[in-house]
Structure formats: structure tokens, C-alpha cells
Amino acid sequence: MHLNKSVEISSFPTEEQRTTALIAFLVDDIPLSIRWLDRVHILSRFTEGVPVTEDDKALMSKFVVTKTCHGRESSSTSWVEWIEPLTVHARHPFAYSECEWPEAELRPLKQEMKKRGVSAGLQSTDYVLVQSNQNSNTIRQRTRNFLFDAGTSTFQSSLNWFLCSYHQRGIVFDQLYGWEYTLLEPSQFWQCVPDAVKPIYHFFNVPITSHITDPHSPLRHIKATAREEDFVSFKLDVDTSSVEIPLVLELVASSELMRLVDEFFFELHFRCEIMRHCGWGDNMPESMDWLRLDRMNTLLLFSDMRHKGIRAHIWP
């Protein structure tokens, strides 16, 4: 439904028409968002054994995973791995409650969220459902778990959230790789990293690059480190579209890399009628390489990655 709605919204010729249609839909969608967010919160606390509900079937997205064993008698087992839906919000459904856009534009949406008692920060990740070990420990007998965090900042920012969220779903990482452009004071940085994490954390206080042949490309590190039987989670959020988008397009174009990366988190800055007033600004091209930077093509990119087997999440 949301992909079709993004097509409809993108078809309007003026920004005013697109904004009006978007906000009207966001208001109407609040009850459904409450329901699927409730399912995400329940599912995130378990690895398996949660009864399937009608809301799961109607509102959540899913991967159907099949394990096939070849021997004297071939056998296969299939199960469902749930994931949050891709939505036109392109972040937490209630994140716009904190947007400081002129009140007249967002008033209907803010009033409805206040009426229903829902809100979230612009950077809230409470809508994201990460991989569970039902898949990672069973489907290919994976032996190692890797997390690559490009744009990690300090440990308390994204990395701590990832470790806690995955641990809750039964996944513990063997190695962590992090990159950060902003120069950080080393002793203060490592003082905030838990002792148990320090032996497995490889931190690079340098900007990443997009081309896989460069030594500071996360894709190069993934390719050099991981095997297909490993579980690889990759987060990309460096707030530089000229680096991020070529990197993502290189990932999508490489069948080898697509086989290595299992889960992907990416904040794609596109020409959002609301976020341009809430931090992204107006200096955004209509397209970069072959990717049009609008709502419809953003959802299509993530949808395509999911159809190719990657658990792709829109990161806030």
C-alpha cells in the first residue's frame, strides 16, 4: 500500500500538492502504524515462538526462508522472518511530531498524533526489527557474526543500540568495524567502550570512501573479511550523499557483495517534502547516478534489496 501511495504522491506536479497528499495520508495511516509498531515491539523481544497474528499478515513485511538438506533423502524446512514494512514516512511513523516546520503545515498531523497519545523523536529507531538467530544459526550454519558501522560516532550512539537490539534477538557479534569522519579524542572514545567490546572492535577515525578498491571502503573490508556462511550487518549513515549513494549502488550491482551482506541499514536523504524543513535542507539534487532522489524511488531501492534477499531498513 505504501509503495503504491509513494507512486501516487510522486506523480503530483507541484510540491504543494505532494505535501498536501502526503500529510493527509500520514494522518489516516496513524491507526495502522500503531498496530504494526506494536507487533515490532513484541517480535523484537524474541527469536522465535511468537504466535502469528492477523496484523502480522496484513501489516508486516516478511522473508520466507527455506533450508534444504541434501543427502540420501533430501528435505527442506521453511519459516517466516518478519521485518517492519517499508512506509512513506521513511523513518519512525510518528517522528514528525518533533519537526519544527511551520505549524500550519503539520498541524493536522500533530493534532491527530497528540489526540492518540503517540510521538517519537526524529532519530527514533523503535520501528526497526533486526534479524533473529532463528535464521542466522540455522539456515547456513553460520560460524561468525560481523557488524560494519559506517558513521558510528561514539559507542553510545548507534553501536550500542545495535549490540543491544541484536543481543535481544539472539545474535552476538564476533567482530565490529566502525568508521567515523569527525576527529575524536582517543582516550575519551575508548573510555566509553565496554571492556568486553574492546578486543573485537576495529575503529577507524577516518572518512569512508565509496570505491571498493580504496582501503577505507567498508565494502572492501566486508569483501576481505566475510564469507557467505557468515552473518553480516552493515549500517551506512555518513550524511554525505556523494559518498553514500555510489557505495550503495556498487553494493546492489555486485552479486558477490549482495551474497555477503545479510542486513543493511541506510539513511537515504531524498527530496522529502517534510524533512527538507526538519534538518535535511533544500540543497539536494533530483538524482545521483541513475537513482532519482524522490520518495517513490527510495522505497523502490529498498524494496529491490529486500527482494534480492537483504534485510534492508530505512535508517533515520
Side-chain angles (χ1 to χ4, degrees):
M1 178 176 69
H2 280 253
L3 183 55
N4 291 336
K5 180 56 67 171
S6 73
V7 175
E8 177 187 327
I9 292 172
S10 296
S11 69
F12 288 108
T14 69
E15 180 172 335
E16 181 180 0
Q17 290 174 313
R18 292 192 297 271
T19 302
T20 300
L22 172 62
I23 293 177
F25 178 75
L26 296 183
V27 170
D28 292 341
D29 192 65
I30 289 175
L32 294 182
S33 293
I34 292 173
R35 287 163 55 187
W36 71 255
L37 282 168
D38 181 62
R39 294 306 298 163
V40 166
H41 297 157
I42 292 172
L43 291 165
S44 67
R45 299 198 296 268
F46 302 93
T47 58
E48 56 185 311
V50 180
V52 177
T53 69
E54 291 303 313
D55 278 351
D56 292 331
K57 298 175 184 177
L59 304 176
M60 297 288 287
S61 296
K62 66 181 180 181
F63 289 83
V64 178
V65 185
T66 301
K67 174 185 176 183
T68 301
C69 296
H70 298 286
R72 290 186 190 178
E73 298 182 4
S74 295
S75 62
S76 63
T77 304
S78 297
W79 65 89
V80 168
E81 280 280 353
W82 299 101
I83 187 172
E84 79 278 358
L86 294 172
T87 71
V88 297
H89 313 80
R91 59 199 325 104
H92 194 291
F94 308 138
Y96 298 136
S97 63
E98 287 198 354
C99 180
E100 296 300 327
W101 197 13
E103 187 67 21
E105 301 288 350
L106 277 178
R107 186 179 296 124
L109 180 59
K110 288 187 174 184
Q111 287 178 339
E112 187 64 22
M113 286 192 285
K114 183 177 181 180
K115 174 183 173 182
R116 294 179 177 272
V118 295
S119 64
L122 275 174
Q123 306 302 320
S124 174
T125 55
D126 282 350
Y127 64 98
V128 177
L129 182 62
V130 302
Q131 173 74 60
S132 78
N133 74 352
Q134 178 185 11
N135 187 337
S136 63
N137 287 345
T138 306
I139 184 171
R140 292 184 292 189
Q141 297 299 311
R142 293 176 171 132
T143 57
R144 302 178 302 171
N145 299 322
F146 294 103
L147 174 61
F148 297 84
D149 188 352
T152 187
S153 187
T154 61
F155 179 81
Q156 296 96 325
S157 58
S158 58
L159 191 57
N160 188 46
W161 182 89
F162 279 113
L163 295 183
C164 291
S165 297
Y166 275 113
H167 187 269
Q168 198 166 242
R169 297 278 279 163
I171 293 177
V172 177
F173 288 100
D174 299 286
Q175 298 291 325
L176 311 171
Y177 293 80
W179 290 263
E180 175 55 41
Y181 172 83
T182 302
L183 189 62
L184 302 174
E185 203 284 316
S187 60
Q188 293 180 3
F189 173 84
W190 287 106
Q191 187 177 3
C192 297
V193 178
D195 290 342
V197 174
K198 290 175 181 175
I200 64 171
Y201 189 17
H202 311 272
F203 177 67
F204 305 93
N205 202 177
V206 296
I208 66 166
T209 54
S210 58
H211 201 281
I212 196 169
T213 60
D214 191 277
H216 295 308
S217 166
L219 296 182
R220 178 172 180 171
H221 284 258
I222 291 172
K223 191 174 180 180
T225 305
R227 304 188 297 259
E228 282 193 48
E229 61 265 28
D230 297 325
F231 173 72
V232 172
S233 178
F234 176 29
K235 188 215 88 179
L236 177 62
D237 183 12
V238 297
D239 292 332
T240 306
S241 297
S242 60
V243 174
E244 293 171 325
I245 291 176
L247 191 152
V248 171
L249 298 184
E250 185 164 17
L251 168 62
V252 173
S254 170
S255 58
E256 179 183 5
L257 287 168
M258 292 288 283
R259 289 194 300 270
L260 291 175
V261 176
D262 298 279
E263 192 149 28
F264 182 54
F265 307 81
F266 176 37
E267 182 186 20
L268 174 56
H269 289 204
F270 62 93
R271 296 171 67 87
C272 175
E273 293 79 10
I274 297 178
M275 283 304 297
R276 64 187 289 263
H277 301 282
C278 304
W280 284 1
D282 296 322
N283 298 323
M284 195 171 299
E286 291 188 1
S287 63
M288 188 168 292
D289 291 339
W290 54 262
L291 181 63
R292 285 191 58 81
L293 299 178
D294 60 15
R295 192 176 310 276
M296 177 184 71
N297 283 283
T298 294
L299 293 189
L300 285 172
L301 174 66
F302 283 87
S303 178
D304 180 59
M305 296 183 77
R306 288 188 177 188
H307 281 291
K308 291 179 178 177
I310 291 184
R311 288 180 64 95
H313 307 265
I314 300 178
W315 188 248

